Amino acid sequence: MEDYIVNWIFRGVVLWAVTFMLIRRALPKRSFNFCNRIVSTIHASLAVSLSILSVQDWSCPVCPLASKSSQLQMKTLAITLSYMIYDFICCQFDKQMSIDNSVHHVVSIVGIGAGLAYEQCGSEMVAALWITEISSPFLHMREILKELGYKDTDLNLLFDILFAVIFSLSRMVAGPYLTYLTLMAENPIIVKMMAMGLQLVSAFWFYKIVRMVRYKLTRKFASEKSAKEKS
């Protein structure tokens, strides 16, 4: 791995941590999770923007496959790797730590780290970055709205549905296709393994999201029906 990439990763971890501490100081009454989700939203927006700028061939956004990564792709991935390391550490101090989220972090850290070490498959990885982060702002906004007092409101339900739709299209439609391309290309075996691992985590989350949306819509329709009967 190039020295400048190692420096970007190290400085990135520090920068994300400092950003979190500044937000905590600016919003002392908000929870640990609330402040961390603001940092996560900043990263997701930055990652999606940089992944778009990193595309080398818009006629085939994931091309060239299994090729040497460009400098912009390397820097984009280094920024996300630094965030993943920061967030993985940060989550250890959160009361709501989950096993599936920890697995997602480990898979992402190992996969991106391998891509940076080999300096290969940048096209596939920035495409995966776009696919995995495009729904993240809606995910975090759902939880931010709850702490702001909008839990069980139509606005919160709207973000639930938007998140579910965008997640489903990106991770369960585009995701499997990208995983197939990654597995078929001449990529390092560790990259292929992490691509499959990430897709399995996405499938598990998709199952949980479907249950969540079904529960919320059922409850909303039941409450509306009950209100009409009372009136």
Side-chain angles (χ1 to χ4, degrees):
M1 190 182 297
E2 297 284 348
D3 290 341
Y4 80 93
I5 291 297
V6 175
N7 290 332
W8 271 66
I9 295 170
F10 176 77
R11 292 173 183 174
V13 173
V14 174
L15 181 60
W16 291 119
V18 170
T19 302
F20 171 76
M21 289 187 286
L22 290 175
I23 293 173
R24 284 286 279 174
R25 177 169 292 186
L27 303 171
K29 295 184 179 180
R30 295 301 175 187
S31 68
F32 181 98
N33 185 54
F34 183 95
C35 296
N36 189 40
R37 286 189 181 278
I38 293 179
V39 178
S40 299
T41 302
I42 294 172
H43 164 259
S45 302
L46 180 62
V48 169
S49 300
L50 289 176
S51 63
I52 292 173
L53 294 175
S54 298
V55 174
Q56 297 186 59
D57 182 4
W58 276 104
S59 64
C60 176
V62 297
C63 297
L65 293 169
S67 62
K68 182 175 175 59
S69 304
S70 68
Q71 280 205 353
L72 181 55
Q73 289 173 342
M74 295 277 283
K75 290 177 180 179
T76 298
L77 294 170
I79 291 172
T80 289
L81 179 56
S82 68
Y83 164 77
M84 285 294 177
I85 294 172
Y86 146 79
D87 197 46
F88 182 70
I89 296 171
C90 202
C91 287
Q92 308 310 308
F93 299 95
D94 192 359
K95 297 178 180 178
Q96 299 180 0
M97 185 182 69
S98 62
I99 295 177
D100 52 316
N101 195 41
S102 296
V103 171
H104 171 261
H105 279 76
V106 171
V107 168
S108 298
I109 290 170
V110 174
I112 295 173
L116 290 173
Y118 284 103
E119 299 183 18
Q120 189 178 337
C121 52
S123 298
E124 297 95 312
M125 286 198 163
V126 294
L129 182 58
W130 186 90
I131 286 172
T132 55
E133 293 298 335
I134 190 66
S135 62
S136 293
F138 300 92
L139 165 67
H140 300 305
M141 186 56 66
R142 294 170 57 243
E143 301 302 323
I144 288 173
L145 285 172
K146 290 176 184 178
E147 188 160 334
L148 291 175
Y150 292 94
K151 183 177 181 180
D152 296 330
T153 63
D154 289 341
L155 180 61
N156 191 226
L157 179 61
L158 173 62
F159 274 94
D160 284 338
I161 294 173
L162 286 173
F163 165 65
V165 171
I166 295 171
F167 183 98
S168 301
L169 291 175
S170 60
R171 297 220 188 190
M172 301 310 297
V173 177
Y177 176 66
L178 179 60
T179 300
Y180 170 77
L181 292 178
T182 303
L183 294 176
M184 293 299 103
E186 295 297 324
N187 287 311
I189 186 64
I190 185 67
V191 172
K192 293 184 178 184
M193 291 173 62
M194 294 305 105
M196 180 58 70
L198 186 60
Q199 187 57 50
L200 290 174
V201 172
S202 296
F204 175 69
W205 282 350
F206 174 70
Y207 165 73
K208 293 177 68 175
I209 290 168
V210 169
R211 291 185 61 188
M212 177 271 293
V213 172
R214 181 180 178 184
Y215 168 76
K216 289 203 170 186
L217 289 177
T218 301
R219 188 174 64 173
K220 179 177 176 57
F221 292 146
S223 63
E224 290 180 350
K225 182 178 180 181
S226 177
K228 288 181 179 179
E229 290 176 350
K230 289 181 180 179
S231 62

